[in-house]
Amino acid sequence: MRDGVWGSLVGQEELAAGLAAAVADPARLTHAYLFTGPPGSGRSTAARAFAAALLCPDGGCGECRECRTALDGSHADVEVVNTEGLSIPVKQARELALTAAHHPSVGAWRIIVIEDADRLTEQAADALLKALEEPSPRTVWMLCAPSPQDVIVTIRSRSRHLSLRTPPVEAVAALLESQGVDAAMAAYAARAAQSHIGVARWLARDESARARRHTVTRIPFELEGLGSALRKAASLHEVATSEAAAEAEQRDVAEREELLRLNGADPTARAQPPAIRGQLNQLAKEQKARATRRVRDVIDRTLVDLASVYRDALLVSVGASGVDLVNPQDAGDLQRLAGTTSADALLLCLEQVDTARTRIGENVTPLLALEAMLVGLHQLQGDLARTSTGRGPR
């Protein structure tokens, strides 16, 4: 099952076999699928591969025009929604419902892929209900989310659930090697990314990304006091904000210039007509939402890296065997951390990181969530050391 479009589904052989069987026998198809799995498992990759196979005359060869355009989202009958804002609004959902009612224009199926179905607002989900309840006979919906619980129940109940698993580190490393990455670097990136395929590619190819990760994973070994905790919180937030701003700057300018060009407006004019000003304001609003989400996404990835250190230290503390460390290069520091922080405290450290991720996801100001987390981590890491010297908690 590694041939054609299915070769991109790393560690998902059983799922790929089931999808290929459905392509071969259209009677087994349903009108809506929900792909779920942990970050980096390949949810959207699976949906795009399925779309390509449905449109391919050979069931997903991976080489023909139908496969290539379906995979990159440019096929006339494939609509891919990948929101860069905080949510998918009701207006966009209504447009999708109208699109779903149309017959395919060039292929056998019209396919709508929503890569962030967990970001549908309640009103947006309601707008899609009729399209899902009374689907066009040649339309297939493919929704992606981290888990079924992340999708509004009315949408979830109308879809066939397909679950992806975290691929093995070895499989991700092999994929990177097949794409020209050195074997040692592929092994490091796959392990450090904890099998997140996209992050593994990023780490393998971007030296600055590896440097940033190194800085983050050193934090547990460098917490020396309350002031240190607050400074590191500010640094983490600043790095995430700067990265998001740098990524957005050129794109935002290009989008503004393109909007003015399409409207025949003069980009050098000091003032624009009211109708164009309205469009520019809407664009600025969308860009701001995209930047906010990007900051949160960068911070979340940072917190996953931070948690990996406490996870490793906990394994060392309890003497777990047969489980590989995510950060074996820090074995000495992990031994010291495990020696000065109890297993219970390390478990609480992991909970602190998870709480910060949840708070940021619930729109708590990221800097405040980071400060609370790092202060809590400092206190937990110091508890055993203070107890052993008879000082007790402060």
Side-chain angles (χ1 to χ4, degrees):
M1 290 310 305
R2 298 304 304 272
D3 296 329
V5 297
W6 310 115
S8 60
L9 304 189
V10 180
Q12 314 293 342
E13 288 77 11
E14 185 177 349
L15 174 72
L19 294 176
V23 172
D25 181 9
R28 300 178 61 175
L29 288 172
T30 190
H31 66 284
Y33 293 84
L34 175 58
F35 293 85
T36 67
S41 59
R43 300 184 301 257
S44 60
T45 299
R48 289 178 185 241
F50 191 20
L54 285 171
L55 293 167
C56 174
D58 296 321
C61 69
E63 301 294 334
C64 68
R65 180 179 181 277
E66 286 77 10
C67 282
R68 294 196 309 272
T69 54
L71 290 172
D72 67 21
S74 63
H75 193 287
D77 291 323
V78 179
E79 182 79 16
V80 178
V81 178
N82 183 355
T83 181
E84 294 175 318
L86 299 178
S87 63
I88 299 175
V90 63
K91 178 182 178 182
Q92 187 173 11
R94 288 170 180 158
E95 292 171 352
L96 290 173
L98 290 174
T99 299
H102 296 156
H103 291 291
S105 56
V106 296
W109 301 94
R110 179 170 294 281
I111 299 166
I112 299 176
V113 180
I114 302 181
E115 296 188 344
D116 304 284
D118 53 311
R119 295 184 184 271
L120 285 164
T121 65
E122 188 172 350
Q123 294 80 5
D126 288 342
L128 293 180
L129 281 184
K130 187 172 183 181
L132 290 171
E133 290 171 341
E134 303 174 12
S136 166
R138 307 303 297 178
T139 296
V140 178
W141 292 81
M142 300 183 188
L143 315 176
C144 306
S147 74
Q149 292 70 34
D150 290 314
V151 180
I152 293 173
V153 65
T154 51
I155 296 293
R156 186 169 76 228
S157 64
R158 290 163 174 80
S159 308
R160 179 178 295 175
H161 180 210
L162 301 173
S163 179
L164 286 78
R165 63 189 180 94
T166 300
V169 169
E170 296 76 14
V172 177
L175 174 67
L176 295 178
E177 284 191 64
S178 72
Q179 297 172 348
V181 178
D182 172 76
M185 178 59 72
Y188 158 78
R191 184 181 64 247
Q194 299 177 68
S195 292
H196 188 302
I197 298 170
V199 173
R201 285 197 185 101
W202 180 52
L203 287 172
R205 296 169 179 170
D206 190 332
E207 184 177 354
S208 63
R210 297 193 292 273
R212 284 195 294 274
R213 184 182 188 279
H214 174 74
T215 299
V216 171
T217 57
R218 297 302 303 169
I219 286 176
F221 313 128
E222 298 172 353
L223 283 177
E224 299 174 347
L226 182 61
S228 171
L230 293 175
R231 286 193 297 274
K232 290 186 182 301
S235 177
L236 286 178
H237 186 260
E238 182 181 355
V239 167
T241 303
S242 298
E243 183 175 321
E247 183 181 272
E249 185 176 1
Q250 290 185 336
R251 182 174 178 177
D252 289 354
V253 171
E255 286 178 341
R256 187 178 190 279
E257 291 177 350
E258 179 65 8
L259 186 151
L260 293 173
R261 185 188 68 79
L262 291 173
N263 283 278
D266 179 5
T268 64
R270 296 182 61 184
Q272 299 292 346
I276 295 178
R277 286 203 301 272
Q279 294 182 54
L280 289 173
N281 289 338
Q282 180 60 32
L283 176 63
K285 182 179 178 181
E286 293 171 359
Q287 290 173 339
K288 182 178 180 180
R290 184 172 65 203
T292 298
R293 177 181 172 182
R294 179 57 182 160
V295 168
R296 292 178 182 177
D297 287 347
V298 172
I299 291 175
D300 190 71
R301 183 63 237 170
T302 295
L303 295 183
V304 170
D305 290 332
L306 182 62
S308 74
V309 179
Y310 292 108
R311 173 260 192 198
D312 284 354
L314 181 60
L315 291 177
V316 172
S317 177
V318 300
S321 59
V323 182
D324 293 334
L325 299 180
V326 176
N327 306 283
Q329 71 279 0
D330 295 323
D333 288 317
L334 290 169
Q335 286 281 358
R336 285 187 286 275
L337 180 59
T340 58
T341 310
S342 68
D344 286 344
L346 289 169
L347 189 59
L348 290 173
C349 286
L350 284 168
E351 291 182 6
Q352 283 279 340
V353 178
D354 187 61
T355 297
R357 296 180 67 191
T358 300
R359 286 172 172 169
I360 293 171
E362 294 174 347
N363 294 328
V364 170
T365 302
L367 180 57
L368 294 179
L370 291 172
E371 288 177 341
M373 176 194 72
L374 280 160
V375 169
L377 292 175
H378 162 62
Q379 293 173 338
L380 287 166
Q381 287 184 218
D383 279 347
L384 184 59
R386 286 192 295 270
T387 300
S388 65
T389 58
R391 284 182 287 166
R394 285 173 287 184

